[in-house]
Amino acid sequence: MNIEIVKDHTIKSREYFRIFTSSGMQVTLGTYGAAIEDIALPFTDHAVGRYCPASADRSELRHSIVLKEADEAALLRSGSYAGRTLAPNAGRISRSALNIEGHCYTLMPNEGQNQLHGGPHNLAHEDWEVESQEQAPDSVRITFTAEQADGVDGYPGNRKYRVEYSVEDTGWIRVKYHAESDQATYINMSNHTYWNLTVPEILQNQVADGSKEYQADPCQGSGLRQELEISANNVVLNDDQSLPRDIIPVSGTAFDFRTPAVIAHMLHSEILRDDITDRQFLIGRGYNNAYILTRANLNRRVRGVKREDALKKACTLLDPVSGHKMIMMTDAPALVLYTGGYLDVPSSYIALEAQDIPDVGNLLPERMQITDPEHPFHREIRYRIS
């Protein structure tokens, strides 16, 4: 494995880490938002000859499988949060009211009267520090850190955050989140990468002209061509403000991805559609719903040790044409499927966010996990890309 470090000359604290595996996968991490800036794969044998000349040097030709905004300005303008670490909170909090141990904290709203993704000063749009960089023959590990003072956007506690990325030569990307607070608070960290594993048709012209570096943007709706499987029996329905209002079983509905299905087929199925799903798809311009992940056996014991937060498979995403696949595992209780209906190019990518049940303090307060000095926040997400 190899790593290249690129410094942003306009912002001295900003760095990018390009990591290359022996199979040709390239993963780019960045300090701005402790982000997955890019994941790019070599062309498959199927793609060579169809999308680019067979004589092309494939060692330097890759196509991105995640959404990349052109720069910071484009990222902020789009509101996509593409690839960023979501902190202190992923998702919306209704009426910007946070109840912790009997006290109601008034948060700073940034979406009408509600708060989205941690408020106006969320860490997705801040530069993180590089705590450490480690390289081994079969892996590279980069750790980012950030801090927030008590009261920022209304959250209690002086908080310290850490995100550790491990890129392995086997195709695994492991993300470990850790946060501490000197008083009781709420933390719900996640990642907001958008995925499209398909090989865009427009690559043919861009590669044929001899260019070795390029940005190929999937067309509208191409993200829906992917096949998705989600390990969940229940889904959260939203109100007109995209806030959770109910939980229903997925069985017999267009939300049922317990067996692999092409997203577009489910979205447009006349058999599975009804008034409820039509309303949900109108609100989200497609899917924008949280799935309650099936739990691992909470009483499972390994050598007498109780494992209460075992990782489980959350979802599998597949491009049936190229064969590219992404498997996600996590210990988070929910997975938000957002099919990108509000992106600049609608539904060109889909987001899969492992997180708490959205607005859990209001929807299911008994399942809200508080972070305090004795109980730091931990979460893990693993991606297997092939």
Side-chain angles (χ1 to χ4, degrees):
M1 297 185 65
N2 296 310
I3 181 171
E4 297 177 355
I5 302 175
V6 179
K7 294 185 180 292
D8 190 322
H9 296 295
T10 60
I11 302 176
K12 293 182 179 180
S13 62
R14 194 164 295 175
E15 293 181 283
Y16 302 93
F17 301 84
R18 295 174 183 164
I19 302 165
F20 301 86
T21 70
S22 60
S23 65
M25 180 172 74
Q26 175 185 324
V27 179
T28 304
L29 307 175
T31 53
Y32 183 60
I36 296 176
E37 295 282 355
D38 190 22
I39 302 175
L41 299 178
F43 288 100
T44 62
D45 291 336
H46 169 83
V48 173
R50 179 179 179 183
Y51 300 127
C52 63
S55 59
D57 181 2
R58 292 173 60 191
S59 65
E60 297 188 49
L61 292 175
R62 299 175 180 86
H63 63 96
S64 295
I65 60 171
V66 300
L67 173 60
K68 300 189 301 179
E69 300 289 1
D71 51 33
E72 180 181 341
L75 178 70
L76 293 171
R77 183 174 60 252
S78 71
S80 68
Y81 292 83
R84 307 304 113 173
T85 291
L86 301 178
N89 176 56
R92 293 172 175 83
I93 295 179
S94 63
R95 303 181 304 280
S96 301
L98 182 65
N99 291 289
I100 299 176
E101 298 181 345
H103 183 83
C104 184
Y105 292 88
T106 300
L107 307 180
M108 182 70 71
N110 61 336
E111 189 185 62
Q113 65 177 347
N114 307 311
Q115 191 188 82
L116 174 65
H117 295 326
H121 302 96
N122 65 76
L123 292 175
H125 298 135
E126 298 289 341
D127 283 290
W128 293 53
E129 298 289 333
V130 179
E131 180 182 79
S132 64
Q133 170 194 332
E134 303 173 50
Q135 183 172 0
D138 58 356
S139 66
V140 171
R141 181 181 301 167
I142 309 292
T143 302
F144 302 109
T145 60
E147 297 184 7
Q148 285 184 313
D150 179 32
V152 171
D153 288 337
Y155 287 88
N158 294 294
R159 290 148 291 153
K160 297 180 179 180
Y161 303 87
R162 186 170 72 244
V163 182
E164 176 187 292
Y165 288 100
S166 295
V167 180
E168 302 179 0
D169 210 31
T170 55
W172 283 100
I173 301 173
R174 302 173 187 257
V175 191
K176 292 184 178 181
Y177 301 96
H178 177 86
E180 300 174 353
S181 175
D182 62 0
Q183 59 180 291
T185 191
Y186 179 61
I187 294 175
N188 170 34
M189 301 174 71
S190 187
N191 178 273
H192 209 307
T193 294
Y194 291 81
W195 303 85
N196 190 333
L197 306 180
T198 64
V199 181
E201 298 282 350
I202 58 174
L203 289 181
Q204 183 174 7
N205 294 332
Q206 290 182 300
V207 175
D209 68 7
S211 173
K212 292 186 178 182
E213 293 187 2
Y214 49 88
Q215 173 66 42
D217 295 319
C219 61
Q220 179 173 337
S222 64
L224 305 178
R225 300 174 191 167
Q226 301 173 100
E227 185 178 281
L228 179 63
E229 179 183 9
I230 301 177
S231 302
N233 297 321
N234 298 284
V235 68
V236 178
L237 301 182
N238 299 323
D239 64 15
D240 291 349
Q241 297 182 71
S242 297
L243 292 165
R245 65 171 177 83
D246 198 5
I247 299 175
I248 65 168
V250 299
S251 179
T253 75
F255 294 102
D256 192 352
F257 287 96
R258 291 176 297 176
T259 57
V262 174
I263 301 170
H265 294 172
M266 298 293 284
L267 183 63
H268 302 299
S269 171
E270 294 184 3
I271 297 174
L272 297 175
R273 294 282 292 266
D274 57 21
D275 290 344
I276 293 176
T277 53
D278 284 348
R279 185 61 187 168
Q280 291 298 296
F281 295 157
L282 177 64
I283 295 169
R285 297 184 183 177
Y287 292 93
N288 188 16
N289 300 85
Y291 285 78
I292 313 300
L293 296 174
T294 54
R295 294 186 174 188
N297 183 354
L298 298 185
N299 295 317
R300 178 184 176 188
R301 292 179 176 272
V302 178
R303 295 181 180 176
V305 177
K306 188 175 181 181
R307 301 176 61 190
E308 296 189 349
D309 296 312
L311 293 177
K312 66 268 186 182
K313 186 173 80 168
C315 66
T316 300
L317 188 66
L318 172 71
D319 171 32
V321 178
S322 68
H324 290 319
K325 179 188 291 187
M326 187 277 287
I327 298 172
M328 180 196 293
M329 299 185 68
T330 187
D331 52 8
L335 179 76
V336 173
L337 165 63
Y338 170 48
T339 51
Y342 289 88
L343 293 176
D344 291 339
V345 182
S347 300
S348 52
Y349 294 84
I350 71 165
L352 295 159
E353 305 158 56
Q355 59 174 71
D356 284 354
I357 298 169
D359 202 22
V360 66
N362 292 300
L363 185 68
L364 294 169
E366 69 278 6
R367 295 187 63 173
M368 184 177 181
Q369 298 293 314
I370 299 300
T371 297
D372 59 30
E374 289 73 40
H375 303 91
F377 173 87
H378 296 283
R379 176 161 295 154
E380 184 169 353
I381 305 173
R382 299 183 188 177
Y383 307 99
R384 172 70 166 89
I385 299 169
S386 59

